[in-house]
Amino acid sequence: MTIDWPAIVFSEQTQGRIRALCERRFGHTADAEVASDYVLEHLSSGDWAQCRKFTGKSRPETFLYTLCSNLVEEYARKKFGRIRPPSWLQQLGDTWLTLWKFICLERQPVPVAIDRLAGEDDALRDRHALTDMVKTIKARLPWCGQQSGEIPLEEYHQDTPGDDDNSDDGLEPLLLLLHQLVLEQTGEPSLSAWQNPDTLQALRGAITLSDEQRLILRMAYVDGLKFSAIARSLNLPTHQPARLAQRAVAHIREVLASRQLLPEGGE
Amino acid sequence: MTSNTSGQRQDEYLSRIALALTQAQPAQGSEPDDEDLAALLDNMLDATRRKEVISHLANNPALYQRWQQLLANHDLWISNNTVTSIASAGTKRRRWWQPAGGVTAAAAALFAGWLVIKPGHDLLTLDQAYQQFSPQLTRYLDDQPYMRALPIAVDSEVTDILAGIYQGQQTRNMTTSFAGIGRAQLVLASEEYQQRAGSSPTLGFEWGRWLLLSHAICSADPDSLTLIAPPTPPNAETALPEPLNCAFVDTQVSALQQLLKQ
């Protein structure tokens, strides 16, 4: 597909977009300017090799957006390193991780980080929930966001190849914790059933969710995206994500209840 | 994270449990590249490839994280659109779930027409409609953004409308912004209305209640708008279209917003 990438990338529109992307990522700082240069340099390198991978499956400007987004993140990783967050944060989901990265690692101002994750007019996430998340992170990691002083080494370690693998380590403690939370307002927890490995195995077989349901549950309940934002991002009818999520939760509830893993009040 | 009620908290925890138990399923098809993700944003994938890409997003945390980054800034990329787009940016995309052609639109029009002319068909009163469409209203209110706008003085008719909107929200025990009008403005209007309210609601108040519910229905199920009996407009010059449609509702919301501009 023949596209004049230099003309597109160096157009006033694209230059403005790249600048805006970098300023949202790093604020109005020198880093934003350096990141803009980094993006332009890498887009044009190798005779526009990255751009020329375009085959026409998407619109050119959206493809260009994905490349720019990747390059901005690549710059951030080179600048701030790739540091592994605490395991408790990893279990809480990508929104928590992103907040941690912005505030603790890159030391961005809290309002800027919240603005970014809440989206324009708070279209993506609830601002108050994000504020609560920041409070939790700061309470558990007192060094987070401080402009001076060393970050305790035990708080993090550098990523090593293979660390991204999803392992089942820690699954049972997570389930126990979550189960307790589920039951905190509804009745007496019966943790013994949850501690039984056979129970977990049986649940794995009994809970059947489609990929779309798993994606929507994750976006909505783990990462706090509004259902309207999910619908827009997946091009679904406005209330389809909420319906799919409700069906999935009802199914999960039914499976747990049928194995007496939920008290009657929680059903 | 979205939760403010115990029910929502339970949904979140149940979801987390289910996701932990069902993680790392083998994804379908080849791993999506940058252009696949771009095509998903553009809604240009065919149904099969779309399903495969969704499968990877659901099962590949690293890819999901990249997708989240793309979603977070896509609005910024689109809104920086000061120069003519390099592609057909103005072209309205067909949603993948909509069949080609106007079959759906025709069916909807027929259905709406049938509702209007159905013999013996009784329109819902506003109170009945609030009961029937309460789930849609709850979801609609839940999606309203937080607005920081400070209250400004408005005339009594607008105050009545805003008070009606606030009252409509209270049927779900929720106070949110409405179409860019901040919560503080709605609360203030309600307080003012209460101080001078008579025994029966004013036209403006009822109009506000109808406007809120209609806006919610238009975002969820536009065809249902014709099921509700509209109240008399507070402004005698406002002519109700026949049948009622969401474009009219949008116009009324815009008119209200104009009255509130400082």
Side-chain angles (χ1 to χ4, degrees):
Chain A
M1 177 159 285
T2 310
I3 290 182
D4 186 356
W5 289 106
I8 293 170
V9 171
F10 290 115
S11 69
E12 187 186 337
Q13 180 190 46
T14 306
Q15 294 289 304
R17 285 172 161 174
I18 293 172
R19 208 166 34 246
L21 202 59
C22 294
E23 284 177 356
R24 180 181 275 186
R25 184 68 179 79
F26 304 106
H28 294 272
T29 62
D31 274 330
E33 285 180 33
V34 179
S36 288
D37 293 342
Y38 182 90
V39 170
L40 291 173
E41 188 187 324
H42 283 75
L43 283 175
S44 59
S45 69
D47 191 21
W48 303 88
Q50 289 199 50
C51 295
R52 284 194 290 104
K53 288 179 184 167
F54 181 69
T55 63
K57 281 188 285 188
S58 69
R59 298 194 303 167
E61 63 262 54
T62 314
F63 175 65
L64 188 58
Y65 166 59
T66 63
L67 296 183
C68 292
S69 178
N70 291 346
L71 287 168
V72 169
E73 285 309 312
E74 188 178 289
Y75 171 80
R77 272 200 302 278
K78 287 189 174 174
K79 167 84 182 174
F80 299 104
R82 193 174 182 187
I83 295 170
R84 196 172 191 190
S87 57
W88 64 270
L89 259 171
Q90 293 186 57
Q91 290 178 343
L92 287 171
D94 281 333
T95 302
W96 287 80
L97 287 176
T98 307
L99 265 180
W100 171 83
K101 187 169 71 172
F102 288 166
I103 296 167
C104 305
L105 191 59
E106 299 175 8
R107 291 172 176 166
Q108 292 188 23
V110 169
V112 172
I114 288 179
D115 277 349
R116 280 201 59 199
L117 285 167
E120 184 107 0
D121 291 334
D122 295 358
L124 292 176
R125 295 179 178 85
D126 179 61
R127 178 172 298 272
H128 301 299
L130 290 169
T131 306
D132 288 343
M133 291 162 79
V134 171
K135 284 180 191 164
T136 304
I137 292 172
K138 290 209 163 204
R140 293 193 64 169
L141 305 171
W143 53 266
C144 173
Q146 287 176 2
Q147 292 299 319
S148 59
E150 292 289 313
I151 297 172
L153 278 177
E154 64 271 20
E155 298 286 7
Y156 64 80
H157 66 269
Q158 295 284 339
D159 249 357
T160 50
D163 272 358
D164 281 346
D165 294 346
N166 241 2
S167 98
D168 278 353
D169 290 348
L171 177 62
E172 286 185 44
L174 170 68
L175 290 172
L176 291 172
L177 169 67
L178 294 175
H179 186 53
Q180 272 185 301
L181 291 170
V182 168
L183 298 178
E184 68 184 4
Q185 292 160 0
T186 54
E188 293 177 13
S190 57
L191 293 180
S192 57
W194 284 86
Q195 285 165 329
N196 183 348
D198 292 342
T199 304
L200 294 181
Q201 203 54 43
L203 286 176
R204 278 199 178 95
I207 296 178
T208 52
L209 298 175
S210 69
D211 286 331
E212 193 165 57
Q213 278 178 318
R214 295 187 68 240
L215 184 61
I216 289 170
L217 288 184
R218 180 161 189 186
M219 292 173 90
Y221 293 120
V222 179
D223 290 321
L225 281 159
K226 294 182 175 179
F227 283 122
S228 54
I230 297 171
R232 277 195 303 276
S233 66
L234 297 176
N235 289 295
L236 290 168
T238 313
H239 287 96
Q240 180 109 335
R243 285 193 195 111
L244 286 171
Q246 283 162 5
R247 270 186 224 149
V249 169
H251 165 64
I252 299 159
R253 197 183 291 276
E254 192 182 307
V255 169
L256 297 183
S258 69
R259 285 163 174 74
Q260 283 80 49
L261 292 169
L262 284 180
E264 286 184 12
E267 291 174 33
Chain B
M1 195 202 89
T2 52
S3 45
N4 341 345
T5 67
S6 62
Q8 284 174 314
R9 285 173 66 89
Q10 285 196 30
D11 288 353
E12 178 188 340
Y13 299 138
L14 287 169
S15 299
R16 284 178 179 275
I17 289 172
L19 289 171
L21 283 167
T22 60
Q23 70 186 357
Q25 303 294 312
Q28 305 163 19
S30 60
E31 183 163 342
D33 56 17
D34 287 325
E35 204 175 344
D36 282 316
L37 295 181
L40 182 61
L41 281 175
D42 284 340
N43 198 26
M44 287 173 69
L45 293 173
D46 63 47
T48 307
R49 186 58 185 153
R50 182 181 179 280
K51 200 172 174 185
E52 289 175 357
V53 172
I54 296 252
S55 167
H56 279 274
L57 286 173
N59 295 294
N60 179 340
L63 184 74
Y64 175 82
Q65 204 168 18
R66 272 176 61 207
W67 171 242
Q68 289 297 300
Q69 280 160 11
L70 290 177
L71 293 183
N73 296 316
H74 194 218
D75 62 319
L76 191 73
W77 192 264
I78 293 169
S79 64
N80 262 275
N81 198 20
T82 51
V83 181
T84 309
S85 171
I86 54 178
S88 53
T91 309
K92 189 170 171 58
R93 294 175 300 165
R94 176 170 64 84
R95 291 176 180 271
W96 68 270
W97 45 270
Q98 287 176 329
V103 179
T104 308
L110 278 173
F111 179 65
W114 174 78
L115 286 173
V116 169
I117 60 172
K118 182 184 166 193
H121 174 65
D122 292 325
L123 292 175
L124 298 168
T125 66
L126 210 41
D127 288 332
Q128 289 169 332
Y130 262 97
Q131 278 195 331
Q132 179 160 332
F133 296 106
S134 61
Q136 289 91 331
L137 180 60
T138 302
R139 283 195 291 269
Y140 169 82
L141 293 174
D142 197 38
D143 279 348
Q144 295 308 301
Y146 176 74
M147 304 295 298
R148 295 185 198 79
L150 293 173
I152 57 169
V154 290
D155 65 37
S156 60
E157 184 181 296
V158 175
T159 299
D160 289 2
I161 296 173
L162 297 183
I165 291 167
Y166 178 82
Q167 174 59 34
Q169 294 180 342
Q170 294 317 296
T171 62
R172 307 310 307 147
N173 290 319
M174 295 169 82
T175 306
T176 71
S177 64
F178 171 77
I181 302 167
R183 292 188 296 184
Q185 183 81 56
L186 298 175
V187 172
L188 183 73
S190 177
E191 287 169 358
E192 280 184 28
Y193 178 80
Q194 295 298 332
Q195 285 170 10
R196 60 177 165 75
S199 55
S200 57
T202 63
L203 291 180
F205 183 84
E206 286 298 276
W207 189 252
R209 289 177 68 213
W210 174 80
L211 207 53
L212 171 73
L213 190 63
S214 299
H215 211 231
I217 289 171
C218 284
S219 72
D221 186 12
D223 293 340
S224 296
L225 188 65
T226 52
L227 298 175
I228 307 168
T232 308
N235 184 342
E237 292 172 8
T238 306
L240 293 174
E242 182 62 46
L244 271 175
N245 56 64
C246 289
F248 174 74
V249 175
D250 287 341
T251 307
Q252 294 304 307
V253 171
S254 299
L256 183 61
Q257 287 170 330
Q258 290 302 317
L259 290 170
L260 283 160
K261 278 199 172 168
Q262 295 192 66

